[in-house]
Amino acid sequence: MAASSNQNQLSPEQLEALINDVLDWQYMHGSVLKVPPATGEIFSRPIGVTLRPTSFPKKFYEESLFLQLVFNKLYCAVANDDKWLEIALSNLFASNPLAQILWKIHNRVKEEGYVQVPAIPFESFVVMVLILYLFQGLALGIFRSDYMLHVPSNQDDRPSELQLKQVEFNTYSVAGGVHSARISKMHRRLSNRAAYGSFDPNTSSVLPNNQTTESLASGLTLAHRSYGPPKSGVDSKTGILFIVQPNNINICDERPIEELLWDGNIPTYRIEFGQAVLDSTSLSPSRELLFHPDFIPSLSRERPLEVSVVYLRAGYDENEYTPAGIAARLLLECSRAIKCPSVLTHLATFKKIQQELSVPGALSRFLPQQDEAAKVASTFMPMYPLDATSELGRRGREIALNPSTATNHVLKPSLEGGGHNIYGAAISEFLHLLPEDKWDGYVLMELIESPADIENSLITSSQEFYSGPVVSELGIFGVCLFSHADVENGGKFEIFENREAGFSFKTKARDVEEMSVVKGFGCFDSPYLM
């Protein structure tokens, strides 16, 4: 592969110089993880990165950009169909505490009424009344669809054509955008300096420009402006509130977005999920979310910030939902602020939803255009639930419990963050040790078989060096501003903005099962378009 083959032309001295250039660039540009303080001192370490871009077919890169607009529409529609979500997730509620908590929060807010209404121009009083009746409010979706290249097996030994297959679709706390953009910039810079052994005159065309950081900030800006002027009557300022985790090691993937928002004169603050949200926010009588922390001198209960957008980068782990965590999430959902994402959009991120959408005919409910539904369906690998009642579930159990058939499958739980999957022959033993009433929390998916002839060199976040066969994953970000509507009672949701928003590209050693970069399995990379 052209993007990876020049590596072997470097002498040991040149390779060492390249590694030092990469590490220096990472420290200079914040491509690092913050190491939690153990002795009162704070350290950082470079995040995992490849030394050079990795080959990827241009046609599949371009196809994934188109597909993102369709997937955005699909998941906006799913997030507006709580009846379908309830049925799709019904088995999961019994085995997954997080899904159960989120569904209860949705029902509680639904009982009280979703209050946020779209701040869009009204041409007449009749139109205004109609919109107030039909719409429950705006939501912002920041999504990412992840893909791998797949080489299907042929029985007749004919060469197989590569296919683009979806790994998963993410709707909640979608990370990696800033890191990806920085590594793309690094690879372009190194290529322009001929750091890989020779000057590549095609750098600008084969290494796509990555503006993910700006695109995500632009999406949050759009939502902020759509909220409109302050409504509480308490103060004249509105701003964006990031909800983050304590001891956050991934601040370099969040803070640059904040800085861009401040550069656009949008006040942007961050608060930890849970008790800190309860201590620092409150609702006005008309349910505007007011932010008045003790640690910001310019804000107080008398002079709060009215929150236009709540951007959640925490709250995706069931351990975060202590009583204070549940109360905090309920407070945010009950507010007039635009949520990114809403609780219904959060529920759509579970692996079970991806599996349900892969069932033949399921997409037609949300994508009436057959060509779009067919395009989406073509990216799905065979997936199975593990319930004992449906035909598909029984088939899934049959495959999973037999080591010989399970060998080319992966068992996925409804958990975020990577490192939780069970692979191949280990699936059967894992299920035998797991209580059967917990099986519904998993989805069985046929393994994506990536090409075996792609190589690169990489440095993991634990500073381990590897050179050899690799597997890559392309993630396309999407931004969607849409309305939540009471579809059950005749409402109709609308999509006001739908766009792709850059990409992430991650690579791991071929014999490593997981891809999470933060957990040290994979590395951020750039696609070299062939």
Side-chain angles (χ1 to χ4, degrees):
M1 289 290 175
S4 304
S5 59
N6 291 338
Q7 176 99 14
N8 297 328
Q9 299 175 9
L10 300 180
S11 68
E13 294 79 13
Q14 291 170 333
L15 180 60
E16 182 179 358
L18 175 59
I19 291 173
N20 287 330
D21 281 349
V22 166
L23 294 175
D24 286 349
W25 197 97
Q26 288 187 272
Y27 277 117
M28 285 174 58
H29 294 85
S31 179
V32 297
L33 295 173
K34 180 180 177 181
V35 180
T39 60
E41 298 181 65
I42 297 177
F43 301 94
S44 65
R45 67 174 185 267
I47 202 162
V49 62
T50 61
L51 292 191
R52 64 170 64 250
T54 303
S55 303
F56 194 85
K58 183 178 181 180
K59 70 172 184 177
F60 288 133
Y61 172 77
E62 293 175 343
E63 182 181 333
S64 67
L65 297 180
F66 163 77
L67 277 169
Q68 190 60 40
L69 301 181
V70 184
F71 271 110
N72 286 351
K73 288 197 298 184
L74 170 62
Y75 275 81
C76 288
V78 169
N80 269 285
D81 196 336
D82 63 344
K83 288 299 180 186
W84 185 86
L85 277 170
E86 183 176 21
I87 295 170
L89 296 172
S90 57
N91 289 337
L92 190 63
F93 292 144
S95 60
N96 188 294
L98 178 57
Q100 188 179 94
I101 289 168
L102 295 175
W103 188 253
K104 287 181 178 178
I105 289 173
H106 161 63
N107 281 331
R108 176 79 178 275
V109 180
K110 189 175 181 180
E111 289 172 6
E112 296 189 15
Y114 285 90
V115 296
Q116 199 277 319
V117 294
I120 59 178
F122 299 123
E123 296 178 355
S124 70
F125 179 77
V126 175
V127 174
M128 180 182 74
V129 171
L130 230 115
I131 289 178
L132 288 171
Y133 173 73
L134 295 178
F135 290 157
Q136 292 184 329
L138 288 179
L140 179 67
I142 292 180
F143 303 146
R144 195 189 70 232
S145 185
D146 295 334
Y147 304 94
M148 284 183 176
L149 298 177
H150 176 58
V151 183
S153 58
N154 280 335
Q155 301 292 333
D156 54 8
D157 295 328
R158 287 181 304 154
S160 298
E161 289 193 9
L162 283 176
Q163 298 175 349
L164 187 72
K165 292 297 182 179
Q166 187 182 66
V167 179
E168 62 183 5
F169 192 90
N170 302 275
T171 70
Y172 193 87
S173 187
V174 179
V178 176
H179 285 305
S180 297
R182 287 185 167 165
I183 298 309
S184 292
K185 185 176 181 180
M186 181 192 77
H187 282 150
R188 291 167 68 91
R189 184 69 55 86
L190 290 171
S191 181
N192 285 331
R193 287 169 43 191
Y196 301 127
S198 61
F199 175 71
D200 188 345
N202 300 313
T203 294
S204 60
S205 61
V206 297
L207 297 182
N209 195 21
N210 193 343
Q211 298 293 323
T212 304
T213 309
E214 294 80 3
S215 296
L216 299 185
S218 174
L220 289 164
T221 298
L222 175 66
H224 169 76
R225 290 175 177 167
S226 298
Y227 181 86
K231 301 163 179 60
S232 62
V234 179
D235 204 354
S236 58
K237 294 180 296 184
T238 60
I240 296 174
L241 187 61
F242 280 41
I243 310 296
V244 299
Q245 290 184 316
N247 302 315
N248 191 344
I249 69 171
N250 204 21
I251 60 166
C252 292
D253 197 57
E254 298 172 3
R255 290 286 193 180
I257 301 173
E258 290 180 50
E259 292 302 310
L260 285 178
L261 293 168
W262 276 108
D263 289 346
N265 296 315
I266 300 175
T268 305
Y269 300 98
R270 56 200 284 124
I271 191 76
E272 291 180 2
F273 186 80
Q275 187 61 48
V277 170
L278 300 177
D279 293 340
S280 299
T281 64
S282 59
L283 296 183
S284 72
S286 49
R287 288 163 65 176
E288 288 81 21
L289 183 64
L290 306 178
F291 182 54
H292 40 71
D294 295 333
F295 53 84
I296 299 177
S298 61
L299 299 176
S300 66
R301 286 188 176 272
E302 292 72 32
R303 293 177 299 139
L305 178 82
E306 184 174 325
V307 178
S308 57
V309 181
V310 172
Y311 181 33
L312 288 140
R313 293 291 294 253
Y316 52 79
D317 190 294
E318 67 181 69
N319 294 324
E320 296 177 88
Y321 285 87
T322 61
I326 294 172
R329 187 66 188 273
L330 183 60
L331 174 76
L332 298 174
E333 292 296 326
C334 283
S335 76
R336 191 179 292 273
I338 296 172
K339 270 69 71 176
C340 179
S342 66
V343 69
L344 284 176
T345 313
H346 186 175
L347 283 160
T349 206
F350 284 99
K351 306 294 188 296
K352 178 63 177 172
I353 297 303
Q354 183 191 22
Q355 181 269 310
E356 287 288 341
L357 290 173
S358 73
V359 174
L363 289 172
S364 62
R365 181 183 181 100
F366 306 107
L367 295 174
Q369 290 184 265
Q370 292 184 1
D371 59 332
E372 291 185 339
K375 274 287 188 183
V376 167
S378 72
T379 68
F380 292 148
M381 293 296 288
M383 283 178 272
Y384 306 89
L386 292 180
D387 64 274
T389 55
S390 71
E391 181 179 347
L392 204 58
R394 290 192 295 272
R395 175 59 180 154
R397 288 184 171 215
E398 181 184 344
I399 295 171
L401 293 173
N402 184 340
S404 63
T405 53
T407 188
N408 66 329
H409 288 78
V410 55
L411 191 65
K412 294 185 172 187
S414 286
L415 298 172
E416 297 299 323
H420 306 289
N421 295 339
I422 311 297
Y423 290 85
I427 294 173
S428 176
E429 181 181 358
F430 175 81
L431 288 176
H432 281 304
L433 295 174
L434 186 72
E436 193 171 342
D437 61 357
K438 301 292 185 184
W439 290 11
D440 281 336
Y442 292 80
V443 166
L444 187 72
M445 187 175 92
E446 188 175 311
L447 274 175
I448 299 173
E449 297 293 344
S450 299
D453 60 346
I454 301 177
E455 296 188 352
N456 205 340
S457 296
L458 47 88
I459 309 170
T460 67
S461 58
S462 59
Q463 297 302 285
E464 295 179 4
F465 180 79
Y466 168 85
S467 186
V470 296
V471 172
S472 297
E473 179 181 286
L474 172 67
I476 303 297
F477 288 86
V479 166
C480 223
L481 184 69
F482 64 101
S483 63
H484 272 306
D486 188 359
V487 176
E488 187 181 356
N489 292 313
K492 182 181 179 182
F493 78 94
E494 297 287 343
I495 297 177
F496 300 103
E497 187 73 21
N498 179 13
R499 60 192 186 214
E500 56 87 9
F503 65 87
S504 72
F505 197 71
K506 295 177 284 189
T507 294
K508 63 179 180 178
R510 186 170 179 81
D511 60 354
V512 172
E513 291 177 333
E514 298 288 349
M515 185 62 87
S516 173
V517 179
V518 172
K519 291 189 176 181
F521 300 112
C523 296
F524 283 109
D525 193 359
S526 304
Y528 186 100
L529 301 181
M530 307 290 288

